[in-house]
Amino acid sequence: MLLKLRVCFRSIQSRQLNPCLNLFRYCHFDSKLGSNSTNPITTVTPIEPQNNVAIFWDLDNKPPNSFPPYEAAFRLKKAASSFGVVRYMVAYANRHAFSYVPNVVKKQRKERKLLNQLENKGLIKPVEPYLCRVCGRKFYNNEKLINHFKQIHEREQQKRLNQIESARGNRRVKLVAKYAMKMQKYKNAVRDVLTPKVGYGLANELKRAGFWVRTVSDKPQAADLALRDHMVDVMDKRKADCLVLVSDDSDFAGVLKQAKLRCLKTVVVGDINDGALKRVADAGFSWQEILMGKAKKEAVSVVGRWKDRDMLERLEWTHDPKEEKNFSSVVNAFDYCGSDDTCDDDDTCDDDDDDGDADDGDCDRECGGFGGIFDEDDVDCKQKEAASAWWELNSDPEANA
């Protein structure tokens, strides 16, 4: 009976002192985590850091006259994304570049005007009706579609803009959120229906593609100076690792050289194959290659060359004159100490110890021997090695024996 009480008392005491023992009874821990376990270990592959790309577009020198602005800007961004992550897209020009209408656009407008006249006279009927992209109405005459758009949708857009401009504070924020979808729908539709009053919509198309468009003064070289200052500012703040310049102006050669000195990658987009910019830059493409997608394919090889060059720069031997001077001084000091320790032919080891004998340790160190004992075979071998060059083979039968 006493033994039973003692066992019960010990079990109660163990539960009070070690409460974690009960936890292990009801918990199961799997030591092997693999494909059969409920919590497999996921292996995370390291992601290589990508370059930050900045696009600078000189619209005064290289406007997209022969291509639609939005398509050219979109293809340019797509090609630049092959070199890294596009962080900045900037375009500079004066007001003349935005008011200029290319000959291609002029021809298209003349053809559209002629078709409208024939449709009004009933000589030509379109195969498919013209569709209003705002309300969905169909018209078999382009001028009727234009009149409908101006009378209804353009007036509604102007009313919405007036309400937003007159509102303040929280009410203005609510109105912008309320009319956001309608205003965006109107902007997408007006692009194909109404003709811009000034130019051919270059600034709006570039903004729609994501570019930050800046208009400078009409002074000569104003756009070049502003674009050059912006590029230098980006290089100073280290905001980009790769610069993509859209221009054929040789005045930007100095900026590209400065970018290469700062270990930045440079790419030029222009139509002059042997221009000064393409000779300085790491890679160069034409507008035709950008639009056809050829530049995106060639960008893979360009990035591979950049990686190889960076790897070689890390492994390249660098010459440090200070370190070499210190090393040569240490070597000269070591040689000088060795020459002082050796014995000349006329010197004798006549230092005596307390017992009258010569100092065997000093003599051994100075004469190069061990206790004044030399091996004749070693001496003969050293003399033969000194007499013959290191690249000559020893064919002496005695030495081989």
Side-chain angles (χ1 to χ4, degrees):
M1 189 71 182
L2 293 175
L3 293 174
K4 291 182 179 180
L5 292 174
R6 187 179 298 175
V7 171
C8 292
F9 178 75
R10 287 181 179 178
S11 62
I12 294 171
Q13 189 177 6
S14 63
R15 290 179 181 178
Q16 292 178 355
L17 294 177
N18 299 323
C20 296
L21 295 176
N22 295 327
L23 179 64
F24 283 98
R25 290 181 181 178
Y26 303 103
C27 296
H28 175 69
F29 298 94
D30 192 1
S31 60
K32 296 181 180 180
L33 293 176
S35 59
N36 298 328
S37 62
T38 57
N39 297 323
I41 300 175
T42 57
T43 58
V44 180
T45 57
I47 301 175
E48 296 182 358
Q50 295 183 347
N51 298 324
N52 294 330
V53 182
I55 304 175
F56 297 94
W57 196 341
D58 184 11
L59 290 174
D60 286 347
N61 181 265
K62 191 56 60 181
N65 293 332
S66 57
F67 311 105
Y70 177 77
E71 183 180 357
F74 178 77
R75 295 294 180 87
L76 177 63
K77 180 182 177 181
K78 190 176 181 180
S81 62
S82 303
F83 300 105
V85 182
V86 180
R87 300 291 185 184
Y88 304 94
M89 296 189 297
V90 187
Y92 280 87
N94 52 23
R95 62 182 182 87
H96 296 292
F98 298 112
S99 61
Y100 173 74
V101 180
N103 295 326
V104 179
V105 180
K106 290 180 180 179
K107 291 180 180 179
Q108 293 177 356
R109 290 180 180 179
K110 287 181 180 180
E111 292 176 358
R112 182 70 264 178
K113 188 176 181 179
L114 181 60
L115 289 174
N116 292 340
Q117 293 176 359
L118 296 175
E119 287 176 358
N120 293 334
K121 294 178 181 180
L123 300 176
I124 295 178
K125 187 176 181 180
V127 179
E128 295 181 358
Y130 300 102
L131 181 65
C132 179
R133 297 176 60 184
V134 178
C135 62
R137 290 185 61 181
K138 297 180 180 180
F139 299 90
Y140 285 92
N141 193 316
N142 190 38
E143 286 192 354
K144 290 183 179 180
L145 173 63
I146 294 173
N147 295 333
H148 161 77
F149 203 88
K150 288 182 178 180
Q151 292 175 3
I152 298 177
H153 302 301
E154 191 174 12
R155 289 182 180 180
E156 291 178 353
Q157 178 72 4
Q158 192 62 37
K159 288 180 181 179
R160 287 190 287 262
L161 293 175
N162 293 335
Q163 289 182 9
I164 292 174
E165 290 179 359
S166 60
R168 294 291 182 273
N170 192 20
R171 176 175 171 77
R172 184 168 186 171
V173 176
K174 291 181 179 179
L175 288 175
V176 171
K178 180 181 178 181
Y179 297 138
M181 294 183 64
K182 293 182 178 180
M183 294 175 67
Q184 186 63 34
K185 196 174 183 180
Y186 172 82
K187 290 180 180 179
N188 295 334
V190 73
R191 192 177 302 113
D192 301 329
V193 178
L194 300 181
T195 302
K197 296 179 180 180
V198 179
Y200 65 112
L202 176 60
N204 294 330
E205 291 294 293
L206 293 182
K207 289 178 181 178
R208 185 164 70 97
F211 273 83
W212 186 62
V213 183
R214 294 287 295 172
T215 306
V216 298
S217 61
D218 297 336
K219 296 180 180 180
Q221 303 296 327
D224 296 348
L225 294 174
L227 190 61
R228 191 182 301 113
D229 294 341
H230 199 161
M231 293 176 67
V232 173
D233 182 68
V234 169
M235 289 189 293
D236 291 340
K237 296 180 181 179
R238 300 296 297 178
K239 293 182 179 179
D241 303 319
C242 178
L243 300 181
V244 179
L245 177 63
V246 185
S247 179
D248 279 329
D249 194 352
S250 59
D251 295 339
F252 292 101
V255 184
L256 295 181
K257 291 179 181 178
Q258 185 178 1
K260 294 188 70 175
L261 290 176
R262 299 188 183 190
C263 299
L264 269 70
K265 284 77 175 178
T266 55
V267 180
V268 173
V269 178
D271 294 330
I272 301 178
N273 295 329
D274 297 332
L277 297 182
K278 290 188 178 181
R279 289 196 298 267
V280 176
D282 296 328
F285 304 99
S286 62
W287 268 121
Q288 196 69 24
E289 294 175 344
I290 294 292
L291 294 177
M292 293 176 60
K294 186 178 179 181
K296 186 175 178 62
K297 296 180 180 179
E298 293 181 358
V300 179
S301 61
V302 174
V303 174
R305 290 199 302 268
W306 288 347
K307 291 182 179 180
D308 296 341
R309 186 180 65 183
D310 294 341
M311 183 63 67
L312 290 175
E313 288 179 356
R314 294 194 192 103
L315 301 176
E316 186 179 3
W317 176 78
T318 56
H319 173 67
D320 191 358
K322 293 183 179 180
E323 185 177 355
E324 184 179 1
K325 185 177 180 181
N326 296 333
F327 180 75
S328 61
S329 63
V330 172
V331 172
N332 293 333
F334 181 78
D335 294 340
Y336 178 74
C337 294
S339 62
D340 290 345
D341 292 341
T342 56
C343 292
D344 297 334
D345 296 337
D346 298 336
D347 295 338
T348 56
C349 300
D350 50 354
D351 293 336
D352 297 336
D353 291 334
D354 296 337
D355 55 356
D357 298 334
D359 191 356
D360 296 336
D362 294 341
C363 184
D364 295 340
R365 177 179 56 82
E366 292 176 359
C367 297
F370 181 77
I373 300 173
F374 295 93
D375 192 356
E376 296 180 357
D377 295 337
D378 295 340
V379 174
D380 294 339
C381 291
K382 291 181 180 179
Q383 290 178 356
K384 290 180 180 179
E385 290 177 358
S388 60
W390 60 272
W391 61 84
E392 295 180 357
L393 295 177
N394 191 1
S395 60
D396 191 2
E398 296 179 359
N400 295 329

